[in-house]
Amino acid sequence: LLEALAGDVESGRLAPGTQLPTQRELADVLGVSLGTVTRAYAEAEKKGIVRGEIGRGTFVTGGPREEYGAAEFELGTPGMIDLAVVRPLYGLEPDLGAALRGLARRPALSELLHYQPNAGMRRHRAAGAQWASRFGVDVDAESVIVCAGTQHALTVALTSLCESGDTLLVEELTYPGIRVLADLLGLKMVPLPMDDRGLVPEAFEAACRQRRPRALFTMPTIHNPAAVTIPDGRRRKIAATAAAHDVVIIEDTVNHLLADEPPPPLSVYAPETAYFVASLSKAVTGGLRVAYLIAHQRAMDSLTRAVWATNWMTAPLCAEIAAAWIEDGTADEACARKKAEAGKRVSAARRILSDFDLRADDHGHHAWLTLPECWQSAAQFAEEARRAGVAVAPADLFSVGAAAPAAVRLALSTPRNVETLSQGLGKLKRLLGGPPGLGAAIL
Ligand SMILES: Cc1ncc(COP(=O)(O)O)c(C=O)c1O
C-alpha cells in the first residue's frame, strides 16, 4: 500500500494537495483491515509523502522529504544559476585570517581546547548578551546559552520543551529545518494561517484554545520564505496570547538584523514565555556555527541539559572568534556590508520583476514571488525554470498546510554578483511572461 502510494505521488498521478480516502473507506475498498491502512498512512506520513490534518483528512504533500536536499544538488550543476538555496552573501564575511592571527598572539590559548561548561564560557555568554542587545533584547550573561548555530539552538529548545506527540504550532509556510527537526522528535506540526502581515494572531489564539500546543515556532522578521515582517501591534497580541495560554514562543530571528528598524522581538513582550535565538548566520556568517539561545532563568537547567545531550558544548574556539568579532565591531561591519549589497540585489529584483507580485524586505536575502494565474503549480514552474538554467525553491518545500500556494522563493544573496543574479531573474521573467510549457521554446 505504501509503495503504491509513493509510486503514484512520484509519477504525479496523485498531485500535491490531493485528499486521500478515509482509512475506513480504503480498507473497505481493498478488503484489508483498518489497522493495515492506518499503518500504511502513518508510514507515508513519516516519509513525508502525506500529511494528516485533524478534522480534515489526509493529504498528499509536495513529495518525499528527500526533496529538501534537492536544491543543494542544483548548486553543483554547471551553468545553473542557483536562486534556490539562500547563501548569505559569501565573500562579505569578516576576515577569518586576521581573526586567527590575532588569536595566535594571545596567551593561554590552550584553554580553548579544554572542556568548558555546557552553556559556554562566561565571556562567550557575555558576548551573546551583547549581541542580543543589537536585536533590542536586554539580558545578562546568565540568560544566554552558547549554541552551535541556530539549528542547534532550535534543537536544544525543542528537546528540552517537548515530548514525542506534542503539538508544535508553525506558520503555514515555514523553514524546512524546523520540519526535519519536528519529524525527528515526533512532534505534530499544526500550521497557522498567515497574511501579508505574517502570522494571524486570532488563528494563534484559536489554536491555543483548541489544540493545546506546547510551543509556537515563528520567524517574525523577514520570514523565511514569505519575506513578511509581523508589525508591532500583532507582536504584542501574539505575546499576550502565548502568556495567557502558557505556550512557549520559539522565536527565530536569523534575518532580524538585515531589516531597517524592525519592531522589537516577541521576546521583549513575552520575556517569561519566549525563547529567543540571537543568530550570527545571515548578518555575519553561518559557517562559524555559533548562535545564542536566550531564555528565562527557569528554563536554564533543562536547556543546559539539552546542550549536554546534543553537543556537550559549542566549540570554544568558534565561540571565541564570534565573541572577538562582536566585541570589536567586526560583526557589525560585516552586517552593514551585507545589508548594502543585499539592498542592491533587492532593487535589481524589483526592477526586473516589476510586472509581477514580488515581496522582499529592502535588505533581505530572499524574495517571495507569487506566480501569475496561468501558473497553478510552483513545482512545475521550478521544473521549467531548472530547464532554463535557474534553480528556485517552490512553495511545496515550505508548506505545512494541505496545498502549497503557487509561489517560489528566490535566493537573491546566492549568485556571485548582481550581474549573475540579474541574468537569472531575466530568464525567470521570460518564463513568467508565457503560460506553462512554453519555456523551452522561448528560452
Ligand atoms: C529561518 C532560519 N532559521 C535557521 C536557519 C539556520 O541557521 P544556522 O545556520 O544558524 O543554523 C536558517 C538558515 O537558512 C533559516 O533560514
Side-chain angles (χ1 to χ4, degrees):
L1 193 50
L2 180 62
E3 271 172 25
L5 196 54
D8 281 355
V9 170
E10 204 181 325
S11 71
R13 228 178 122 197
L14 283 176
T18 306
Q19 183 165 15
L20 298 186
T22 65
Q23 297 178 9
R24 187 165 297 284
E25 274 165 7
L26 194 58
D28 286 349
V29 170
L30 298 178
V32 297
S33 75
L34 182 62
T36 301
V37 179
T38 304
R39 277 205 305 282
Y41 274 29
E43 278 302 309
E45 183 156 8
K46 249 197 237 161
K47 288 184 185 297
I49 299 169
V50 301
R51 180 162 297 283
E53 293 197 16
I54 296 169
R56 293 194 59 214
T58 304
F59 297 85
V60 175
T61 59
R65 287 287 151 89
E66 282 74 26
E67 277 188 11
Y68 292 163
E72 291 282 346
F73 180 70
E74 303 290 356
L75 193 69
T77 310
M80 182 70 70
I81 297 176
D82 183 23
L83 304 186
V85 181
V86 181
R87 318 250 164 205
L89 293 168
Y90 288 173
L92 298 182
E93 299 93 355
D95 182 345
L96 182 59
L100 293 174
R101 284 189 294 277
L103 254 183
R105 286 194 290 272
R106 285 237 320 260
L109 257 196
S110 60
E111 74 169 336
L112 299 178
L113 298 177
H114 299 170
Y115 283 106
Q116 300 291 350
N118 303 122
M121 295 169 76
R122 171 81 207 177
R123 67 171 185 276
H124 297 162
R125 297 173 76 186
Q130 209 180 322
W131 192 239
S133 72
R134 310 288 202 279
F135 297 73
V137 173
D138 182 21
V139 286
D140 52 25
E142 281 71 40
S143 305
V144 177
I145 292 185
V146 185
C147 290
T150 311
Q151 188 69 25
H152 181 232
L154 299 176
T155 307
V156 166
L158 283 178
T159 45
S160 80
L161 267 178
C162 303
E163 289 174 10
S164 175
D166 278 353
T167 292
L168 174 67
L169 301 177
V170 295
E171 285 133 346
E172 60 191 342
L173 294 165
T174 195
Y175 162 58
I178 202 74
R179 290 172 56 165
V180 279
L181 181 55
D183 280 354
L184 186 74
L185 300 178
L187 306 182
K188 176 130 198 68
M189 276 191 302
V190 170
L192 297 178
M194 303 164 70
D195 60 20
D196 58 2
R197 289 179 298 144
L199 175 66
V200 177
E202 293 72 24
F204 174 51
E205 221 273 321
C208 286
R209 273 189 279 106
Q210 293 158 13
R211 307 284 188 134
R212 302 174 60 79
R214 187 74 191 96
L216 163 74
F217 170 77
T218 177
M219 293 163 282
T221 305
I222 317 185
H223 178 278
N224 180 13
V228 281
T229 291
I230 303 179
D232 192 50
R234 270 198 185 186
R235 291 181 188 228
R236 290 170 192 264
K237 277 190 200 157
I238 292 168
T241 301
H245 292 270
D246 199 22
V247 172
V248 174
I249 297 173
I250 300 174
E251 184 173 22
D252 179 342
T253 55
V254 284
N255 292 315
H256 185 95
L257 296 177
L258 301 174
D260 285 332
E261 298 182 24
L266 290 161
S267 307
V268 168
Y269 299 126
E272 305 223 343
T273 36
Y275 290 8
F276 177 79
V277 186
S279 171
L280 291 157
S281 292
K282 302 293 174 182
V284 185
T285 176
L288 201 56
R289 307 313 298 150
V290 176
Y292 306 100
L293 175 59
I294 285 138
H296 193 264
Q297 277 308 314
R298 257 194 334 257
M300 282 295 132
D301 283 350
S302 69
L303 290 172
T304 306
R305 251 180 96 75
V307 175
W308 178 27
T310 50
N311 197 26
W312 180 273
M313 63 181 178
T314 297
L317 178 59
C318 294
E320 183 73 22
I321 295 171
W325 283 345
I326 291 166
E327 284 159 7
D328 71 7
T330 302
D332 297 310
E333 287 163 18
C335 181
R337 275 197 303 278
K338 291 196 174 199
K339 277 187 73 171
E341 174 63 22
K344 289 185 205 153
R345 292 175 181 228
V346 171
S347 300
R350 286 182 177 149
R351 194 175 59 249
I352 295 167
L353 298 179
S354 58
D355 292 339
F356 302 97
D357 182 355
L358 186 78
R359 191 193 292 134
D361 193 86
D362 286 350
H363 303 95
H365 287 348
H366 66 276
W368 186 242
L369 173 68
T370 300
L371 301 174
E373 252 171 42
C374 59
W375 289 92
Q376 297 284 313
S377 155
Q380 187 185 0
F381 180 80
E383 176 52 27
E384 292 204 24
R386 196 190 60 77
R387 277 195 253 130
V390 187
V392 300
D396 312 55
L397 294 180
F398 311 99
S399 175
V400 182
V408 295
R409 187 191 68 185
L410 307 178
L412 307 180
S413 60
T414 299
R416 219 174 288 283
N417 49 42
V418 184
E419 289 71 35
T420 311
L421 170 68
S422 302
Q423 215 185 326
L425 295 172
K427 289 181 185 220
L428 294 184
K429 180 181 174 179
R430 287 195 288 278
L431 199 57
L432 288 162
L438 273 190
I442 298 170
L443 300 159

